[in-house]
Amino acid sequence: MDPVMDYIMGWSTPALICLIAGLILMVCEMFTPGMGIPGILGGLCLLGAIVLRADSLTTALITLILILLPLMIAAGIIFRSFSKGILARSKIVLKDSIDGESTSLGDKDAQRLIGLEGECVTALRPVGAGDFGGRRLDIVSEGGFIQKGAKVRITAIDGVRIMVKEI
């Protein structure tokens, strides 16, 4: 008999159910971040399909290849669609981005804070909060501990840290 037909006829109903359910769950997992329940269950179903179908090492490898091939094609289509296709225009893809300026307080507006005087809203150990003319800011002490209510002056901006010194 033909080896292809032998392989096809060797599939049992439970093995086919595991294969189909595993493929569906793995494709669903591609739409969710992280390795969640669909991915774990899908992986277990696909492993079960390989074990249930394998009557030799050759059939196990063929089954593995037949599982990986559609998963790679589906992943390619889905990830391409996330970047350029219909999914890229949907609400599930984040459109906001963080650039270098948004993670630093080094721009001109932030530099204007230097020299402002305010009051510690919390104790600085060495991090805490301060009130500068009604504007609450997260601040870092240049020295050590500064008590709540102490008067401070902004001395420097270091990345996203606002450095203060007690007056």
Side-chain angles (χ1 to χ4, degrees), residues 21-22 25-26 36-46:
L25 287 168
M26 291 304 280
I37 304 272
I40 293 169
L41 291 176
L44 290 174
C45 285
L46 292 175

Side-chain angles (χ1 to χ4, degrees), residues 5-137:
M5 286 305 291
D6 285 342
Y7 178 79
I8 292 171
M9 297 305 290
W11 281 92
S12 65
T13 304
L16 279 173
I17 290 171
C18 284
L19 176 70
I20 293 168
L23 288 173
I24 290 170
L25 287 168
M26 291 304 280
V27 169
C28 288
E29 177 66 22
M30 290 179 194
F31 288 99
T32 60
M35 189 66 175
I37 304 272
I40 293 169
L41 291 176
L44 290 174
C45 285
L46 292 175
L47 183 63
I50 293 171
V51 170
L52 290 171
R53 173 57 191 101
D55 47 7
S56 70
L57 181 60
T58 306
T59 58
L61 290 175
I62 291 170
T63 305
L64 180 63
I65 291 169
L66 290 176
I67 287 170
L68 291 177
L69 191 65
L71 285 179
M72 288 189 296
I73 291 169
I77 291 169
I78 289 169
F79 291 129
R80 184 179 186 289
S81 183
F82 270 131
S83 63
K84 298 178 183 174
I86 293 171
L87 291 175
R89 294 182 296 272
S90 72
K91 292 182 180 182
I92 64 173
V93 176
L94 180 65
K95 306 233 184 333
D96 297 333
S97 64
I98 298 175
D99 58 7
E101 292 179 14
S102 64
T103 59
S104 173
L105 292 173
D107 63 354
K108 293 176 186 174
D109 291 333
Q111 294 300 323
R112 282 189 239 157
L113 295 175
I114 295 175
L116 278 181
E117 294 182 3
E119 182 179 318
C120 291
V121 177
T122 63
L124 303 184
R125 297 186 173 131
V127 179
D131 181 17
F132 295 87
R135 185 173 175 191
R136 185 179 173 124
L137 299 172

